[in-house]
Amino acid sequence: MFLNPYERLIARRYLWPGKGEGIIAVVVGFALMGVMLGVAALVVVMSVMNGFRAELFDKTTALNGHAVIQGYDGKLPDWRRIVEVAQKTQGVTSAVPLIEQPLMASAAGRVEGVLLRGMREQEIQGKQIGGNVVAGDIKMVAPGAGTVALGARLAEQLGVGIGGDISLISPAGQTTPFGTVPRIVSYRVAAVFEVGIYDYDNAFVVMPIADAQTLLMMGDAVGMVEVQTVNADRVEQILKPVAAAAKGVAEVRDWRQMNASLFEALQVERVTMFIVLSIIIVVAAFNILSSLIMLVRAKTRDIAILRTVGADRSSMVRIFVTVGLTIGALGTIGGLILAAIFLYYRQGVVNFVQLVTGQNLWDPQIRFLTELPSRTDPVEVLSIVVMTMVMSLLFTLYPALRAARTDPVQVLRYE
C-alpha cells in the first residue's frame, strides 16, 4: 500500500494516541499482544507437532525400515532370495535380514517382557544402535561372544549394568513327556543404548543374528527382511515386485500399516490444534477492530478537518488500513521472535516448569520420545503470517471505511 508523505505522517501519529487517549493505547497494546501471542502459540505448537511426527517417523523407520517382509509363523527360510529380489528392485536402498521375537528376561531376581532383536554385526554397530550407546562397548556384541546390548530403560527395570548377566527365556525349548521345557540361556551385558523412543529403550535386547537363531532354534531362517526405500510415501508402489516374489511365504507390511493408528492420531491432533489456536488470532483481530473503531471516534474532528483541506476518502482508508496492518505486522514479528526463543529453549522451559510444579509434563512412557522435539516448516510459518495479515486487513476495513464516510459538514457545523 503506497502512501504519500502526509498520509505516512498521520498514520505514524495515530499509531500512538495522544494525551487523553490512554484507553485507546491500552486497547491497541492488547491487540498487538494478542496477535503476538497467537502467532507464537501457532508456530510453537505446529513446530512441536511436526517435530514429534518427524522424530517418530525417523526413529521408527530407522529401526523397522520403511517396510518389512515378514515370514508366516515368524520364520522366513527363503530370506536370501527375498533379499536378492529386493536389492534388485528399483527404489530400494537396502534390504537386511532381521529377527524380532518377544521373550521373557530375568536378572537379579527381576523378570520383564522383552523384545529380542537379532541383527547383523554391521547393523548393530550402525548409527541407530551403535551411535546411541550410553555405556559399555557395542563392539563386544559379536557372534559367539555370548553378549547382548540392552535398552537403557530396560537395564534400569532389570537392575543390571555392564558386565552383569541376563537370562533370556524362550518358549521354544525341548519337548519332554511332560510338555515343552522353556529354553533359558544366560548372556553378559556388553552395552546399554538409548535410541530416544521409550518403547524401544524399555524393551529391546539386541544380539547378533546368528546367536538369535541359535537361541530360538530357527536354523538358518530369519523372522523378516527390513527394507529401506528412496521414498517412504511411495513404498507400496516400489515394493510391488517384492510382494509378488514373496507371495505365499511372507507378507509385506509398510510403515503406515505398522504405525497407522499413531500417525493418524497425530495428524488429527495437528489439524485440531491449528484450528483451535487460530481462534486466538481471530480474537486479536477483533481487538484491532475495536481499537480502530475507538480511534476513529476519537479522531472524528481531525478526520473532518483533513477532509475539509482536501484529503479524499481513499486517503482516509489508506491511513487507517495502514494503522491496522502495522499493528498486525508488529504483532506477527514479535510472535515469530517469541516462538523462536521458546523453541530454542523448549526443553529448558519444560524442565523449569516441571521443577516449579513438581509434575512430570513430559513422561516418555506416554509421549514415546524422551525429549520435546521441534521441526519448523517454513511453508507453515508463511501460511500463519499470511493468515494473520489477511485477518488484520479484513478487520481493519470496517473502521477505515467508517472514517472515509465521515461528513465534515456535520462534524464541524458548530465549530
Side-chain angles (χ1 to χ4, degrees), residues 218-231:
M218 296 178 65
D220 187 49
V222 300
M224 63 187 72
V225 173
E226 176 190 285
V227 179
Q228 297 280 4
T229 65
V230 294
N231 189 340

Side-chain angles (χ1 to χ4, degrees), residues 198 350 354 359-370:
Y198 182 85
V350 172
Q354 290 182 152
Q359 300 295 320
N360 188 2
L361 302 179
W362 192 260
D363 187 353
Q365 298 183 57
I366 300 173
R367 310 293 183 184
F368 296 100
L369 302 178
T370 54

Side-chain angles (χ1 to χ4, degrees), residues 30 73 88 120 126 147 294 318:
F30 277 121
D73 298 325
K88 291 180 179 178
R120 295 189 304 186
T147 55
M294 294 176 66
R318 287 195 294 270

Side-chain angles (χ1 to χ4, degrees), residues 116-121 124-125 129 135-151 160-168 185-193 204-215:
L116 172 67
R117 193 173 178 90
M119 306 170 69
R120 295 189 304 186
E121 196 171 356
I124 294 176
Q125 297 178 12
I129 302 296
D137 185 1
I138 197 66
K139 293 182 180 179
M140 298 294 292
V141 183
T147 55
V148 295
L150 301 184
V160 64
I162 303 301
D165 291 328
I166 177 176
S167 296
L168 296 180
V185 181
S186 293
Y187 296 89
R188 182 169 54 86
V189 178
V192 174
F193 59 86
F204 269 5
V205 175
V206 175
M207 67 170 56
I209 193 168
D211 292 356
Q213 289 171 330
T214 301
L215 172 64

Side-chain angles (χ1 to χ4, degrees), residues 38-51:
V39 170
L42 262 178
V43 172
V44 168
V45 170
M46 299 309 295
S47 296
V48 169
M49 294 297 295
N50 288 338

Side-chain angles (χ1 to χ4, degrees), residues 21 23 25 35 66 70 105 110 134-136 144 156 174 203 209 211 226 228 241 253 263 277 341 372 375:
E21 298 171 349
I23 186 64
V35 174
H66 291 161
Q70 191 165 20
R110 303 180 186 181
V134 295
E156 292 176 3
Q174 293 182 345
I209 193 168
D211 292 356
E226 176 190 285
Q228 297 280 4
R253 301 181 64 212
F263 284 102
L277 291 174
I341 294 172
L372 181 66
R375 185 169 296 187

